[in-house]
Amino acid sequence: QGQNNRTMKESSNVLVAYFSATGTTARAAQTLARVTGGELFAIVPQEAYTGADLDWHDKQSRSSVEMNDPKARPALKGKKEGMDGYDVVFIGYPIWWDAAPRIINTFIESHGLKGKRLIPFATSGGSGIAQSVKALRKQYPDLKWEDGRLLNRAGEADVRRWAEQLGL
Ligand SMILES: Cc1cc2nc3c(=O)[nH]c(=O)nc-3n(C[C@H](O)[C@H](O)[C@H](O)COP(=O)(O)O)c2cc1C
């Protein structure tokens, strides 16, 4: 069994790309990378989000303005090079307004992801991940999306079980 797991892990090159504004999704990403043997890549905005930027009560806050504008594409601080080397790309984000933050669109549109297994994961205050994945499928129908999973309160054992279900 152990040997099998190791063989499977070596046969897929896994990238765990994630955006996290306040650290919760980053923790889930770290667990996922540890469990799958994948490489971590932080999707970092050129301009960090301040507390005021994240205020969803304020219609004028940066996050409100971006999420109200389907064309908003916040700039990335850096690109991931060597994307060709990965077959499986986990894409992690916090749920914002039941959706993936627009910087996820920036990431997707500036990296060649065609043909790869794209597996979303998210953390939230309670919302599910399904709406966000439905929107990503609709926006990028040529990419190979899987259903993904919400990792709120997921411990290492839960994440390991999920990775096994995914064959990773
Ligand atoms: C602008 C904004 C909008 C949010 N919208 C939702 C939402 O629609 N549903 C939900 O359950 N949580 C929502 N949240 C809560 C975050 O999804 C949650 O705190 C997440 O775990 C934060 O992840 P992070 O620490 O990686 O940034 C929102 C948070 C922010 C800042």
Side-chain angles (χ1 to χ4, degrees):
Q1 176 72 34
Q3 183 59 47
N4 269 345
N5 283 345
R6 230 165 294 135
T7 310
M8 283 198 284
K9 265 178 206 168
E10 280 162 10
S11 65
S12 303
N13 285 310
V14 177
L15 182 70
V16 180
Y18 70 94
F19 165 64
S20 180
T22 55
T24 311
T25 310
R27 280 191 291 279
Q30 282 156 14
T31 306
L32 197 49
R34 194 163 57 239
V35 161
T36 59
E39 188 183 325
L40 265 182
F41 176 71
I43 298 169
V44 179
Q46 197 152 70
E47 222 180 298
Y49 288 85
T50 65
D53 288 341
L54 299 174
D55 183 357
W56 61 82
H57 299 292
D58 177 2
K59 282 197 166 65
Q60 307 305 323
S61 75
R62 177 181 171 194
S63 58
S64 297
V65 170
E66 287 176 0
M67 297 312 283
N68 277 320
D69 176 6
K71 293 207 165 70
R73 295 292 181 272
L76 300 175
K77 194 159 188 176
K79 259 187 80 170
K80 172 74 186 140
E81 302 297 337
M83 194 56 90
D84 284 355
Y86 301 95
D87 321 304
V88 180
V89 180
F90 285 94
I91 301 182
Y93 48 85
I95 300 291
W96 283 5
W97 297 103
D98 226 11
R102 301 288 179 215
I103 195 164
I104 294 299
N105 297 88
T106 316
F107 174 78
I108 292 166
E109 291 168 17
S110 50
H111 292 81
L113 299 177
K114 211 161 176 180
K116 301 180 191 301
R117 288 182 70 186
L118 301 184
I119 311 176
F121 66 98
T123 68
S124 77
S127 294
I129 193 175
Q131 275 305 114
S132 70
V133 177
K134 193 175 166 188
L136 290 170
R137 280 199 168 105
K138 197 167 161 193
Q139 294 171 84
Y140 307 104
D142 294 342
L143 299 182
K144 242 169 48 181
W145 294 102
E146 299 188 19
D147 289 343
R149 205 176 132 161
L150 195 69
L151 292 181
N152 288 353
R153 290 174 300 275
E156 183 147 339
D158 301 305
V159 174
R160 183 160 288 122
R161 253 191 308 277
W162 183 42
E164 277 167 16
Q165 283 165 16
L166 294 169
L168 298 170

